[in-house]
Amino acid sequence: MKVADVFRVRNPEVRALHLTWIAFFITFYVWFNMAPLASSMLKSVDWLTKDDLRLFAICNVALTIPARIVVGMALDRFGPRRVFSVLMVLMSIPALVFAFGNTMTQLLVSRLVLSSIGASFVVGIHMTAMWFKPKDIGFAEGFYAGWGNFGSAAAALSLPTIALHMYGGEDGWRWAIAQSAIVMAGYGVYYWFAITDGPVGTVHRKPRKAVALEVSSWGDMIKLILWTIPLVGVLGILVWRIQNMGYLSVTWAIVCYAVIVAIVIYQVIQILRVNIPILKKGVPEDDKYPFNSVAALNSTYFANFGAELAVVSMLPMFFEETWSLSATAAGMIAASFAFVNLVARPMGGLVSDRMGNRRFVMLSYMFGISVGFALMGLLNSNWPLIIAVAITVFTSFFVQGAEGATFGIIPSIKRRLTGQISGMAGAYGNVGAVVYLTIFTFVTPTQFFYIIAGGAFVSWLLCIMWLKEPESGFSDEYHVSSVDLQIEEEERRRQANATA
């Protein structure tokens, strides 16, 4: 696939790509619609404080991690068209409640529920994989993610203007948020009728069980359990932060910890229930896949997307304080980190397609991230500002490119498990953000950049040891195993019996 192909909207797959990145763009626009209007909220609602807004910011990412896991399972069962449409319509409800909420409880709970919208990313990843062939998937996934992810930046740029000039008054922020929610719901309905799960005749490969990821060996099952625990366990960090801020009593914190432990135990039980019968029966050779590759890509998304979410939140203040800039100037410079996304992420996928070796591209990008953040750790007021900006853009180029390269590999690991694998890797991006943001509260910006550089280097080492080049990474079609054909035949019989 060439870059010019994205303008050929008459091609069904290109049209599907545009419909899907726009859906992703809108969901991220709604997800990040609070921060740009924070000052307006404080002026309008006299009982709100800055600490309240910090709490809302924590809630805004709290359920994204488990939601990505659940949505990944739903994808493999119901398909991306239904999941994306339903997600957009359902999440418009808490967005509207937040827009017109008049109590702390309403704002808190609605923001917490709305954080599930962050799972939208993995839905589009799955949809794009169904429309594009393995040899073109890198650029397609990168374009989808790069342009869709820009919804967060678009919200920051446009929502204040909409609130102040389109609506005005003390409640302008409410109507601006409500408008974004209504647009999302409307597009969700449109998306249901405007697209299909892949080209006509496409077979939606489903896993045998959607409640847990299938693995190929007993060792892989142990690894899956070990990699599953942090996905829910990291929520303990959020509970700890909320308790320290004084919004949660010790009793309720203990209750939350108990719930988190219960969820982890439930997930482990589901992994055992799904995989023990499969492993006892024996996994055919043509159906096996390397779970080590999944683990390696979990680490890459932890180190690249997790770093992006964390750095974007602290970069404006870093530039403002280090070079004595105005808040506006620092914000504009920091925004360059997000703007690079429009080009770098599609390019990461494109390079992955063109190089003929997706593993080498992944390794190159992760090493580049490590070098880039190490250079940012050296920055201080003695450096010329233009050099600091150049290093920031350089680092962002590798961060965004690595994100595109990650999802250039995932669809080729195991076709029928793409939703669950995408959900796990995507969730690890949020795990990285929570871990890095928590670390940032204890260290200086310089130390923070070095820590992120170290995280990227560790991921690079894990990729060297674990990541394998996908066998069908550049094929015209995805690999179909004997188990895939068996599941397809069983589904065909079930449908025939249902209509008989």
Side-chain angles (χ1 to χ4, degrees):
M1 184 177 180
K2 300 177 181 178
V3 176
D5 290 340
V6 299
F7 298 104
R8 297 174 180 172
V9 293
R10 292 186 178 180
N11 290 355
E13 65 273 17
V14 174
R15 182 171 178 271
L17 176 61
H18 288 299
L19 286 171
T20 303
W21 80 255
I22 291 172
F24 178 36
F25 178 96
I26 293 172
T27 57
F28 262 47
Y29 188 99
V30 173
W31 190 19
F32 292 98
N33 63 11
M34 183 188 73
L37 301 171
S39 59
S40 297
M41 292 175 64
L42 290 174
K43 293 176 183 177
S44 170
V45 185
D46 54 12
W47 47 265
L48 269 182
T49 67
K50 289 184 178 179
D51 283 339
D52 292 332
L53 294 180
R54 292 191 185 101
L55 176 60
F56 294 159
I58 295 174
C59 291
N60 204 43
V61 299
L63 295 186
T64 303
I65 298 170
R68 286 192 170 188
I69 301 170
V70 173
V71 165
M73 296 175 181
L75 280 172
D76 288 330
R77 182 170 183 178
F78 300 110
R81 177 183 67 91
R82 294 176 179 176
V83 174
F84 221 153
S85 296
V86 170
L87 189 65
M88 283 187 277
V89 173
L90 282 182
M91 287 299 105
S92 67
I93 298 173
L96 288 170
V97 172
F98 184 84
F100 299 112
N102 287 312
T103 68
M104 183 66 179
T105 300
Q106 289 174 343
L107 295 179
L108 184 68
V109 174
S110 60
R111 206 72 220 178
L112 184 65
V113 175
L114 183 60
S115 65
S116 300
I117 194 64
S120 61
F121 169 70
V122 300
V123 187
I125 286 290
H126 194 72
M127 176 64 87
T128 306
M130 296 189 74
W131 275 94
F132 287 86
K133 297 181 182 299
K135 62 182 181 181
D136 298 323
I137 196 64
F139 177 71
E141 300 283 25
F143 185 88
Y144 155 78
W147 283 76
N149 198 49
F150 192 70
S152 58
L157 294 172
S158 64
L159 279 172
T161 301
I162 294 172
L164 293 174
H165 300 292
M166 182 179 293
Y167 293 107
E170 289 187 351
D171 291 336
W173 68 271
R174 294 184 183 274
W175 291 104
I177 289 177
Q179 176 183 292
S180 67
I182 293 169
V183 169
M184 182 172 68
Y187 194 83
V189 174
Y190 171 72
Y191 193 80
W192 180 283
F193 297 101
I195 198 169
T196 58
D197 289 333
V200 177
T202 298
V203 177
H204 181 204
R205 304 288 175 191
K206 299 181 180 181
R208 284 172 285 202
K209 299 287 184 180
V211 294
L213 185 66
E214 299 171 26
V215 294
S216 303
S217 69
W218 295 103
D220 285 352
M221 185 175 70
I222 300 300
K223 294 172 188 174
L224 174 59
I225 291 173
L226 294 176
W227 281 90
T228 298
I229 292 173
L231 290 176
V232 182
V234 75
L235 295 178
I237 296 177
L238 293 174
V239 173
W240 172 74
R241 286 179 67 184
I242 294 172
Q243 182 189 355
N244 276 8
M245 292 174 67
Y247 290 101
L248 200 63
S249 68
V250 174
T251 301
W252 278 107
I254 292 174
V255 171
C256 290
Y257 291 134
V259 170
I260 291 170
V261 171
I263 294 173
V264 170
I265 293 173
Y266 172 79
Q267 285 293 110
V268 171
I269 291 173
Q270 293 303 314
I271 291 171
L272 297 175
R273 288 181 61 188
V274 168
N275 285 288
I276 288 178
I278 293 174
L279 295 174
K280 282 184 174 180
K281 184 179 179 181
V283 180
E285 283 298 322
D286 69 341
D287 195 54
K288 292 181 178 179
Y289 73 95
F291 182 80
N292 278 352
S293 289
V294 177
L297 295 175
N298 288 344
S299 78
T300 64
Y301 217 61
F302 178 105
N304 53 50
F305 188 66
E308 178 188 353
L309 290 181
V311 168
V312 165
S313 66
M314 55 78 66
L315 208 53
M317 187 174 292
F318 171 72
F319 274 103
E320 183 178 350
E321 294 179 349
T322 305
W323 283 276
S324 301
L325 302 175
S326 67
T328 302
M332 290 296 291
I333 292 173
S336 64
F337 201 94
F339 272 93
V340 173
N341 211 7
L342 292 172
V343 176
R345 191 151 181 171
M347 184 176 293
L350 183 63
V351 171
S352 181
D353 289 340
R354 297 288 178 84
M355 284 290 291
N357 189 323
R358 298 193 189 278
R359 180 178 181 273
F360 174 78
V361 173
M362 189 77 258
L363 287 167
S364 300
Y365 271 117
M366 294 310 298
F367 190 79
I369 293 174
S370 185
V371 172
F373 279 122
L375 289 174
M376 291 184 71
L378 298 173
L379 295 177
N380 55 51
S381 58
N382 295 322
W383 287 65
L385 180 60
I386 186 67
I387 299 298
V389 173
I391 290 175
T392 300
V393 171
F394 167 85
T395 305
S396 178
F397 176 84
F398 279 95
V399 170
Q400 321 288 2
E403 293 167 6
T406 297
F407 282 91
I409 296 176
I410 284 177
S412 297
I413 293 178
K414 189 64 182 171
R415 185 69 184 87
R416 72 171 184 270
L417 305 177
T418 297
Q420 290 168 295
I421 295 174
S422 297
M424 176 176 269
Y428 260 97
N430 288 83
V431 172
V434 171
V435 171
Y436 283 143
L437 284 172
T438 303
I439 291 173
F440 182 62
T441 60
F442 300 102
V443 300
T444 65
T446 295
Q447 293 170 328
F448 184 60
F449 290 134
Y450 284 139
I451 289 169
I452 294 178
F457 186 74
V458 170
S459 175
W460 179 74
L461 290 176
L462 291 179
C463 286
I464 287 179
M465 294 186 294
W466 293 345
L467 185 61
K468 293 184 178 180
E469 181 71 18
E471 294 181 5
S472 60
F474 298 95
S475 306
D476 286 327
E477 299 296 339
Y478 291 98
H479 171 70
V480 179
S481 71
S482 57
V483 175
D484 290 324
L485 295 175
Q486 179 185 343
I487 295 173
E488 182 184 343
E489 179 60 28
E490 290 172 356
E491 179 67 16
R492 189 181 297 113
R493 290 175 182 173
R494 188 188 65 79
Q495 292 179 353
N497 291 333
T499 57

